[in-house]
Amino acid sequence: MNNNIKNTEKYDVVIVGAGPAGSTAAFYTENLKVLIVDKFDFPRHKACGGGLMSSKDWSLELENYKRIKDELKSFSCKSIKMYWNKMFVAKCDFKHLFDQVSRYEFDELLLKEALKKENVKFLKFDLQMIEKKKLNGKDVFKLSDGQAEIETDYIIGADGMHSKVSKFLGNKNHKRHQFGYCMEYEINCEKKDLNVHVVAGYKWEIGYGWIFPTLNGYQVGIGIIRKPRKSLNYYLDDFLAWSSEKELIPKEYVIEKRFGGALPLKVVKNYCTDNILLCGDAMGLVKLLTGEGIYYAMKSGKAAGQTLTESQKDIKKRYKKKIKPLFWDTFLTPYVPPKIFTITFWSVFFHIGKIWNYFPIGNILVKFFIKMAIHRKSSRKDSYYHDEKIKIGK
Ligand SMILES: Cc1cc2nc3c(=O)[nH]c(=O)nc-3n(C[C@H](O)[C@H](O)[C@H](O)COP(=O)(O)OP(=O)(O)OC[C@H]3O[C@@H](n4cnc5c(N)ncnc54)[C@H](O)[C@@H]3O)c2cc1C
């Protein structure tokens, strides 16, 4: 997907990273000469559960998603079963819980949608260095991959968890308790159980294991915050064996692929200036309780694209204003230190949830958790989820 552009040209905006954040940012720019760069050509693999949570009004709020929706292959789920370290806690049913998509396909469709715009071009370019210089009293940035150089007035940093743009803004690496490390298997098999399974605190580690039904079978993964006692490979294989033993997945399956990746759990300190805006994982905007990040990447990308399109004045102030509501939605990410969620906190929480669930009014706690972390009805009157009623079962 290379547009054969001359990289000696100067751009109004260079977007680093063509994941959901970068492609959405590009889609929402107008009347600006925009270049999206990515170190990979597309399509490319990205370690991800690919779960698009339904309580977000994707089609109403993200025009680029609406345009690719019909072409996108996905598998829909309606129910989730929650466990605490192998102990079943509750089952929750919804009108629609989520769509599982392949990031290989999803990210390529989003990038293609952005490239339909005449002002947007793509270049395979592995950013290594950024240099700031003054030209006629104005800041201009030189981006280099070690060979070629690109000049631009504004940068949108959408280059994921290990963002070089974020480092340029002075942000330090995330500490070990500020990110989750995940590993997952794509398995091919016959599908019998169509529930999503989420196993929190697997083997007393902070994080969770998940089983998502996919088009060809299941995705089985595990994510852990902080340094685990054993290797992630060990936990993933153990979790896979347990899932099969409990018949959450069939006894017979073929492991198609294995992926690993990290995701940030804390918004970085400096996420914007008047020339540089970070979004998505580069900014650290991921839901603290679940690690959900695709929606927030796209919403922050939209905010970045719109901010630069609207005007070149007060960029930092206007971007912050657009981004603030997302902070609340991701559960106060910049303000809540992930450290407070200790294994004891979660153990007590889920045990109370399990016990309460035996009483008629007892599922308040489980419902509260579901609404905070996973799914709640939409406040938009035109939303399919406006009248959502969550059913909690035992
Ligand atoms: C295992 C795992 C499972 C997950 N499951 C889910 C889920 O089910 N649902 C959900 O909502 N979220 C999930 N997430 C989180 C989600 O994947 C991220 O929040 C989301 O991908 C963020 O999008 P982004 O565009 O900000 O970054 P990315 O998707 O990471 O895209 C960044 C892009 O920048 C490019 N790039 C990086 N460095 C450079 C460079 N130097 N030069 C040029 N290009 C560069 C990369 O190649 C990449 O294409 C999961 C994450 C992991 C790790």
Side-chain angles (χ1 to χ4, degrees):
M1 203 181 280
N2 212 323
N3 286 16
N4 276 337
I5 56 151
K6 282 185 270 156
N7 43 9
T8 45
E9 285 178 53
K10 182 170 175 292
Y11 292 87
D12 297 324
V13 185
V14 170
I15 300 173
V16 187
S23 292
T24 307
F27 179 84
Y28 279 97
T29 56
E30 301 288 344
N31 304 320
L32 292 165
K33 193 172 162 190
V34 177
L35 178 69
I36 317 183
V37 299
D38 200 289
K39 61 181 173 186
F40 295 116
D41 229 332
F42 276 61
R44 57 98 177 90
H45 285 290
K46 156 85 184 120
C48 182
L52 308 184
M53 301 307 297
S54 63
S55 57
K56 312 295 182 320
D57 291 308
W58 293 82
S59 293
L60 296 176
E61 289 175 18
L62 294 159
E63 179 60 28
N64 55 341
Y65 173 79
K66 190 177 166 190
R67 292 193 191 173
I68 66 162
K69 194 176 182 310
D70 290 341
E71 218 183 310
L72 184 66
K73 291 187 230 58
S74 64
F75 189 83
S76 297
C77 303
K78 287 185 174 175
S79 311
I80 184 168
K81 283 187 168 180
M82 286 196 307
Y83 307 75
W84 169 255
N85 190 18
K86 301 185 182 176
M87 170 188 86
F88 175 70
V89 177
K91 178 175 187 245
C92 311
D93 295 304
F94 311 89
K95 268 166 90 171
H96 176 217
L97 173 62
F98 82 12
D99 290 323
Q100 201 281 335
V101 300
S102 146
R103 287 291 299 273
Y104 190 77
E105 190 199 9
F106 183 71
D107 290 20
E108 191 195 23
L109 286 174
L110 285 178
L111 179 58
K112 276 187 176 161
E113 205 50 53
L115 292 175
K116 283 183 188 163
K117 302 188 62 137
E118 278 188 0
N119 65 318
V120 181
K121 300 270 179 281
F122 175 80
L123 179 73
K124 186 175 170 226
F125 180 93
D126 185 355
L127 173 74
Q128 295 301 325
M129 234 179 65
I130 304 174
E131 215 184 298
K132 182 167 130 178
K133 47 179 202 166
K134 283 257 184 245
L135 201 71
N136 304 328
K138 236 183 114 191
D139 288 338
V140 177
F141 299 90
K142 239 188 204 174
L143 277 59
S144 157
D145 67 351
Q147 290 169 332
E149 282 184 350
I150 309 169
E151 258 190 25
T152 180
D153 291 334
Y154 300 98
I155 302 174
I156 295 180
D159 47 342
M161 158 91 193
H162 306 287
S163 168
K164 292 226 162 71
V165 184
S166 172
K167 301 260 157 53
F168 179 73
L169 285 181
N171 296 305
K172 301 213 167 68
N173 286 336
H174 291 277
K175 296 200 179 90
R176 190 60 190 90
H177 65 275
Q178 290 170 343
F179 69 90
Y181 199 76
C182 315
M183 204 158 260
E184 63 196 25
Y185 282 131
E186 301 274 342
I187 62 172
N188 284 357
C189 58
E190 198 193 330
K191 269 194 302 284
K192 285 194 183 134
D193 189 329
L194 299 183
N195 295 298
V196 167
H197 297 272
V198 168
V199 184
Y202 191 74
K203 295 244 164 189
W204 298 102
E205 293 285 359
I206 300 179
Y208 66 90
W210 69 86
I211 302 170
F212 292 168
T214 64
L215 281 171
N216 301 322
Y218 295 95
Q219 189 189 77
V220 180
I222 195 142
I224 294 179
I225 311 173
R226 297 179 211 171
K227 202 171 180 315
R229 278 168 286 127
K230 294 194 175 162
S231 77
L232 214 58
N233 276 326
Y234 163 82
Y235 288 116
L236 181 60
D237 286 335
D238 194 85
F239 182 57
L240 184 71
W242 177 77
S243 309
S244 170
E245 188 191 309
K246 292 282 164 202
E247 296 186 10
L248 308 181
I249 59 168
K251 296 254 181 260
E252 287 187 16
Y253 52 81
V254 176
I255 295 179
E256 185 66 14
K257 292 180 205 118
R258 193 184 69 173
F259 295 118
L263 81 172
L265 297 170
K266 193 157 181 9
V267 169
V268 297
K269 206 168 156 210
N270 310 312
Y271 63 85
C272 60
T273 66
D274 277 327
N275 323 77
I276 302 180
L277 308 178
L278 298 182
C279 45
D281 278 12
M283 175 185 185
L285 194 65
V286 170
K287 194 157 193 157
L288 182 60
L289 290 177
T290 56
E292 179 193 355
I294 303 171
Y295 176 79
Y296 302 105
M298 291 176 72
K299 285 286 280 190
S300 54
K302 176 178 173 178
Q306 286 181 330
T307 302
L308 294 182
T309 297
E310 282 158 13
S311 127
Q312 260 84 71
K313 284 211 177 93
D314 297 328
I315 288 174
K316 181 175 171 181
K317 199 167 141 202
R318 286 185 297 110
Y319 186 58
K320 281 196 165 179
K321 201 171 161 202
K322 285 190 202 295
I323 286 292
K324 280 269 157 74
L326 295 176
F327 285 171
W328 293 98
D329 209 32
T330 50
F331 197 53
L332 316 175
T333 306
Y335 315 113
V336 178
K339 257 187 185 169
I340 66 165
F341 297 110
T342 61
I343 199 82
T344 318
F345 172 93
W346 285 122
S347 182
V348 171
F349 182 91
F350 279 103
H351 277 89
I352 294 175
K354 164 112 184 150
I355 295 162
W356 276 21
N357 220 18
Y358 285 115
F359 300 100
I361 55 153
N363 50 40
I364 295 169
L365 193 69
V366 177
K367 245 187 190 166
F368 171 74
F369 178 75
I370 292 287
K371 284 183 183 173
M372 289 306 287
I374 301 171
H375 184 99
R376 58 176 168 268
K377 71 178 186 184
S378 168
S379 55
R380 287 184 65 143
K381 286 212 172 77
D382 52 350
S383 166
Y384 177 68
Y385 305 104
H386 186 62
D387 60 350
E388 176 74 282
K389 286 197 176 59
I390 302 166
K391 290 185 214 88
I392 312 272
K394 296 184 177 67

